């Protein structure tokens, strides 16, 4: 079954999806360094990310958001605790299995865009598919490229693109293979409000139209308002959660947390 089929499958409609977990963290602890310089970036984080749901992770600088994303996406290993992508426990995987899982099931948009400088924008976008020996769904590729405003930049190399354009290329690359789950660490961090809106609405569409799961880190209440749920981190712990957020409700909650 392709991801598209899954997206159209009525069994995966939100009413049924409640029990289906796309990713889970169970009592995650991440300690960096040792002795006096030791930092506990994650201090026992447990969270489920339901299939077909868009979650935003918010919290002060240094609260552990990027660390959590990196552990969830299999880019970093927690000191203790467990991460699952679907039914797959990441701790049980060898390097080769981990690489395959990241390649086939996960899309990333991170702040360091990791574009390959010698490839054009289009080649960068289709690179994960090319490596996996899969072909892009041309219609979806066209849609993504158009909606992210990249149609006339496809033959440019990353150095010939602005920071915001590079970020949109990274976003297109994460979306085009329709992975089960997309992680974004401040995917709209460098974008003006128009481009930012385009990125968020296409992430929203990947959830609503294809049943994919999206988890992003953001500092922006407007970006968070595109999500179904906001999870608030402070000092490496989940301290609050909000369903069906609006800009105002997110701002209120942020203020309340700052005043703790
Ligand atoms: N490689 C590392 N070595 C040592 N400490 C680290 C490392 N990476 C992160 N940290 C520390 O772990 C804590 C959490 O960092 P993290 O990057 O997860 O925060 P964040 O919530 O993403 O912050 P920001 O909003 O500024 O991006 C911070 O105190 C940070 O200094
Ligand atoms: Mg961060």
């Amino acid at each position: 079954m392709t991801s598209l089929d899954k997206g159209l499958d009525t069994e995966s409609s939100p009413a049924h999806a409640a029990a289906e977990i796309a990713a889970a963290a169970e009592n995650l602890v991440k300690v960096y360094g040792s002795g006096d310089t030791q930092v506990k970036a994650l201090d026992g984080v447990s969270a489920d990310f339901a299939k077909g749901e868009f979650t935003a992770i918010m919290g002060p600088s240094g609260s552990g958001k990027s660390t959590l994303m990196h552990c969830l996406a299999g880019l970093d290993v927690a000191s203790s605790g467990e991460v699952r992508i679907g039914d797959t426990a990441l701790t049980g995987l060898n390097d080769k299995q981990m690489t395959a899982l990241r390649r086939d099931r996960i899309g990333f948009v991170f702040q360091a865009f990791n574009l390959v400088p010698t490839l054009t924008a289009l080649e960068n976008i289709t690179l994960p598919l090319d490596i996996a020996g899969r072909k892009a769904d041309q219609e979806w590729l066209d849609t993504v490229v158009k909606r992210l405003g990249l149609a006339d930049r496809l033959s440019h190399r990353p150095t010939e693109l602005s920071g915001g354009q590079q970020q949109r290329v990274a976003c297109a690359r994460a979306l085009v293979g329709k992975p089960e789950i997309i992680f974004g660490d401040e995917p709209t961090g460098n974008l003006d409000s128009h481009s930012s809106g385009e990125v968020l609405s296409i992430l929203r569409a990947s959830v609503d139209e294809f049943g994919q799961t999206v988890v992003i880190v953001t500092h922006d209440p407007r970006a968070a308002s595109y999500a179904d749920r906001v999870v608030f981190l402070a000092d490496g712990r989940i301290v609050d959660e909000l369903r069906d957020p609006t800009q105002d409700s997110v701002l209120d909650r942020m203020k309340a947390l700052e005043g703790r």
Side-chain angles (χ1 to χ4, degrees), residues 32 39 41 59-67 186 219:
Y32 287 113
V39 176
S61 181
S63 57
K65 304 179 299 295
S66 295
T67 304
E186 304 189 42
H219 287 281

Side-chain angles (χ1 to χ4, degrees), residues 61-75:
S61 181
S63 57
K65 304 179 299 295
S66 295
T67 304
L68 176 60
M69 295 288 267
H70 291 168
C71 291
L72 285 171
L75 295 168

Side-chain angles (χ1 to χ4, degrees), residues 62-228:
S63 57
K65 304 179 299 295
S66 295
T67 304
L68 176 60
M69 295 288 267
H70 291 168
C71 291
L72 285 171
L75 295 168
D76 200 352
V77 179
S79 308
S80 66
E82 180 64 276
V83 171
R84 284 191 309 280
I85 296 294
D87 294 331
T88 313
L90 298 196
T91 36
L93 303 183
N94 62 32
D95 284 355
K96 208 174 151 194
Q97 291 168 320
M98 186 71 105
T99 303
L101 177 132
R102 280 198 303 255
R103 186 191 65 206
D104 298 335
R105 300 174 61 186
I106 298 177
F108 311 97
V109 198
F110 286 156
Q111 283 254 264
F113 318 121
N114 300 321
L115 300 180
V116 180
T118 51
L119 299 182
T120 66
L122 179 62
E123 288 163 346
N124 268 287
I125 292 169
T126 58
L127 184 63
L129 288 173
D130 293 341
I131 291 172
R134 287 165 58 202
K135 235 187 120 28
D137 169 346
Q138 190 63 44
E139 201 181 322
W140 178 234
L141 175 63
D142 291 345
T143 303
V144 167
V145 160
K146 193 159 162 246
R147 282 180 56 178
L148 293 178
L150 293 168
D152 58 353
R153 290 290 179 278
L154 290 179
S155 57
H156 291 59
R157 291 181 209 289
T159 51
E160 299 161 348
L161 298 171
S162 72
Q165 287 165 345
Q166 291 179 42
Q167 189 153 12
R168 281 177 278 150
V169 170
C171 187
R173 182 182 54 186
L175 281 159
V176 85
K178 294 198 195 121
E180 278 170 47
I181 185 158
I182 297 171
F183 293 105
D185 194 351
E186 304 189 42
T188 58
N190 292 328
L191 301 179
D192 60 49
S193 81
H194 175 75
S195 304
S196 164
E198 291 294 344
V199 165
L200 291 161
S201 63
I202 203 161
L203 288 172
R204 186 69 249 175
S206 77
V207 169
D208 295 339
E209 293 167 30
F210 300 112
Q212 288 170 272
T213 303
V214 170
V215 184
I216 65 166
V217 168
T218 184
H219 287 281
D220 176 9
R222 177 170 160 260
S225 73
Y226 281 76
D228 298 303

